[in-house]
């Protein structure tokens, strides 16, 4: 019998109930993006802190459909998340979420339109430099969130956005 290696990755996950932090479990050879898109109905998490709680829970199963945004807290995952091995073009986008607009960018293969890319991505999409509408970021995160995975399911709509002015949580306006 062959032993399958497992690994855990520290993550912050934005759910409909607020931010959940913990360690997500996946097989050693599987990327976090692939795991998010193919894990089934629930993610397995350990060392979990739920919204409004100070104590850590040993285990928590989180439903995928309640997951809006997953941020790996380990920078190695960003390097491993390159979706396309070929040349890509970075697109600045505005994503309308139930909480408000999220401004971010994602990479699309050269020659592919953003709309065509989105038609083929119904699960999680790797995104970069995210100005989020979430008001209660965990201490380990700050706007902009440098890298994360956006769940396409709760997204109301997406538009390309070249010049964007973002209002930060303290009321300051920043052009990005």
């Amino acid at each position: 019998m062959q032993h399958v290696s497992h690994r855990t990755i520290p993550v912050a996950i934005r759910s409909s109930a607020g931010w959940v932090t913990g360690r997500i479990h996946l097989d050693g050879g599987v990327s976090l993006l692939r795991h998010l898109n193919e894990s089934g109905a629930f993610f397995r998490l350990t060392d979990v802190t739920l919204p409004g709680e100070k104590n850590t829970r040993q285990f928590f199963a989180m439903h995928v459909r309640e997951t809006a945004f997953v941020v790996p807290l380990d920078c190695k995952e960003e390097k491993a998340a390159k979706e396309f091995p070929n040349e890509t073009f970075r697109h600045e986008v505005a994503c309308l979420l139930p909480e408000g607009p999220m401004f971010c960018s994602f990479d699309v293969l050269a020659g592919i339109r953003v709309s065509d890319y989105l038609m083929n991505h119904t699960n999680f999409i790797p995104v970069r430099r995210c100005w989020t509408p979430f008001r209660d970021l965990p201490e380990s995160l700050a706007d902009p969130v440098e890298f994360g995975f956006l769940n396409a399911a709760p997204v109301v709509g997406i538009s390309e956005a070249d010049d964007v002015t973002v209002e930060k949580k303290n009321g300051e306006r920043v052009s990005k």
Side-chain angles (χ1 to χ4, degrees):
M1 181 174 200
Q2 184 176 355
H3 181 271
V4 177
S5 66
H6 295 280
R7 63 189 176 117
T8 63
I9 298 169
V11 293
I13 300 174
R14 178 59 188 207
S15 73
S16 57
W19 285 97
V20 173
T21 58
R23 300 186 70 79
I24 196 164
H25 289 247
L26 57 152
D27 291 336
V30 175
S31 71
L32 181 54
L33 177 61
R34 182 173 171 195
H35 178 77
L36 293 174
N37 286 331
E38 297 176 2
S39 68
F42 287 88
F43 299 131
R44 295 181 322 261
L45 300 163
T46 56
D47 303 323
V48 177
T49 303
L50 299 176
E53 291 188 345
K54 292 185 192 263
N55 294 334
T56 302
R57 293 179 180 265
Q58 186 174 351
F59 175 79
F60 186 71
M62 185 163 183
H63 205 289
V64 172
R65 100 173 146 243
E66 296 301 320
T67 303
F69 190 46
V70 177
V71 181
L73 302 175
D74 181 346
C75 62
K76 289 184 282 189
E77 283 308 308
E78 180 178 353
K79 293 180 181 117
K82 186 113 174 113
E83 187 175 11
F84 302 116
N86 301 324
E87 290 194 27
T88 60
F89 184 73
R90 186 153 293 169
H91 293 269
E92 300 292 327
V93 295
C95 305
L96 182 58
L97 303 174
E99 298 84 356
M102 172 188 253
F103 302 100
C104 58
S105 62
F106 55 76
D107 297 335
V108 177
L109 279 171
I112 302 294
R113 296 181 308 190
V114 170
S115 58
D116 291 336
Y117 172 81
L118 293 171
M119 294 299 287
N120 293 308
H121 285 78
T122 56
N123 295 325
F124 288 87
I125 302 168
V127 292
R128 300 180 188 285
R129 300 272 310 153
C130 305
W131 295 91
T132 74
F134 312 123
R135 300 287 182 214
D136 56 345
L137 289 172
E139 289 180 18
S140 55
L141 298 177
D143 267 342
V145 174
E146 289 301 323
F147 180 76
F149 298 97
L150 178 64
N151 188 350
V155 173
V156 176
I158 296 179
S159 174
E160 288 196 67
D162 293 327
D163 296 323
V164 176
T165 300
V166 178
E167 184 170 337
K168 294 174 72 174
K169 288 149 188 65
N170 64 4
E172 176 186 354
R173 295 181 67 77
V174 177
S175 294
K176 64 179 256 25

